Amino acid sequence: MRRPLRRTASRGRLRRGVIILPSAFTIGNLFFGLYAVVAALRGDFAWAGWFIVFSATLDLLDGRVARFTRTGSAFGAELDSLTDAISFGVAPALIMILLYFTGADWSWVIGFVYVTAVVVRLARFNVEQGGEARRHFHGLPTTAAGMILATHYPFSQTVFFQQYLGDLNWTRIMVIAMVLISILMLSHVPYAKFPRIDLRSRRGVVRTSLVAVTVTALLLFPAYGFFPFLVGYTLWGLLRSVFLGLLERLPERDPLLDTREPSDGDVEPRELDYHELTREPTLDDWKENTS
């Protein structure tokens, strides 16, 4: 009589352990997000940027683990949003403030604008999409936005940047970039999700292979790869949305530009004279319309 009770207790402990697993990834996300803040305050902006990349990786994994183990919950969604506000809101904004916006008294306001956009974006995401993106993200994801700002400094230390881009006014560029990123986060521009591994179809194999090659290149050349890739992802979603929006506004066929000749099956329109327009309908007309 005691064996079923022991099995039930062991299953309960296993269930609790599985539920804790996604939250452990979320807490790891918080750990690296706070560590990025500490590194930025110490002046180590390169590692601060990579810690935010680590946070984004754990943020990607916690949702997938929750869906795989079927342990998603409202608590997990709220915990994830609060963590993302620090890792991809406060930490990247602090990096930008310490790098570019310490000269004037009110220059830190640009960081406030960015963090506000992040928290509003996260709140809207939970309300509109229930904590999980369906086919695409509505607006630029906060993870991508945070990593753009975080990986800018490692990219700025490369030889390519120093030779070709170092003379630009990056303070002004980053102000414009942070404003545009904030607007895109609050917009409804559709951004693609990270594709799933699919080896069952030819298209899935090609997509998975491209993802594997891209991830490998990013890991081999992180300083050169992450920032340009994320900027390209941001611009691609915006330009694609604008292009598709222009296509939807075009008429399917303009009758004034339709120069095709009528075929044998087309019925030529017949002009009606005044008597046909004003006469009363007859019984023959009724029979013709109802036949």
Side-chain angles (χ1 to χ4, degrees), residues 160-179:
F160 174 82
F161 184 95
Q162 296 293 337
Q163 290 182 354
Y164 300 102
L165 303 174
D167 295 333
L168 299 177
N169 189 348
W170 280 99
T171 300
R172 183 175 300 176
I173 292 174
M174 294 313 297
V175 169
I176 298 174
M178 292 181 71
V179 172

Side-chain angles (χ1 to χ4, degrees), residues 25-26 28-29 52-64 67 80-81 83-84 87-88 122 142-143:
F25 281 91
T26 305
N29 173 9
I52 293 177
V53 174
F54 296 160
S55 295
T57 304
L58 293 175
D59 182 67
L60 175 67
L61 292 176
D62 64 0
R64 293 182 178 271
R67 289 190 293 271
D80 184 73
S81 295
T83 300
D84 290 350
S87 299
F88 312 117
L122 292 170
T142 56
T143 51

Side-chain angles (χ1 to χ4, degrees), residues 24-205:
F25 281 91
T26 305
I27 297 300
N29 173 9
L30 177 62
F31 172 81
F32 284 111
L34 187 59
Y35 204 172
V37 172
V38 175
L41 292 175
R42 292 175 177 174
D44 193 355
F45 300 109
W47 271 112
W50 297 132
F51 288 148
I52 293 177
V53 174
F54 296 160
S55 295
T57 304
L58 293 175
D59 182 67
L60 175 67
L61 292 176
D62 64 0
R64 293 182 178 271
V65 169
R67 289 190 293 271
F68 179 76
T69 58
R70 298 180 181 180
T71 55
S73 62
F75 171 80
E78 296 298 330
L79 180 63
D80 184 73
S81 295
L82 294 173
T83 300
D84 290 350
I86 297 175
S87 299
F88 312 117
V90 176
L94 180 63
I95 293 175
M96 290 294 103
I97 290 173
L98 294 177
L99 280 175
Y100 296 110
F101 309 128
T102 57
D105 293 337
W106 293 96
S107 58
W108 61 271
V109 173
I110 186 64
F112 168 75
V113 172
Y114 171 78
V115 174
T116 301
V118 168
V119 296
V120 173
R121 169 71 173 82
L122 292 170
R124 190 189 69 181
F125 177 77
N126 287 341
V127 172
E128 288 184 352
Q129 299 179 273
E132 177 183 354
R134 304 308 181 196
R135 295 183 179 180
H136 53 262
F137 294 103
H138 291 169
L140 182 67
T142 56
T143 51
M147 284 193 296
I148 288 176
L149 301 183
T151 57
H152 163 70
Y153 181 81
F155 179 68
S156 68
Q157 303 306 301
T158 60
V159 177
F160 174 82
F161 184 95
Q162 296 293 337
Q163 290 182 354
Y164 300 102
L165 303 174
D167 295 333
L168 299 177
N169 189 348
W170 280 99
T171 300
R172 183 175 300 176
I173 292 174
M174 294 313 297
V175 169
I176 298 174
M178 292 181 71
V179 172
L180 291 178
I181 288 173
S182 301
I183 294 174
L184 287 175
M185 280 192 292
L186 300 180
S187 69
H188 283 278
V189 175
Y191 279 92
K193 297 173 57 179
F194 190 85
R196 297 181 180 180
I197 298 176
D198 182 13
L199 302 178
R200 294 175 296 181
S201 62
R202 182 178 301 177
R203 181 178 298 179
V205 171

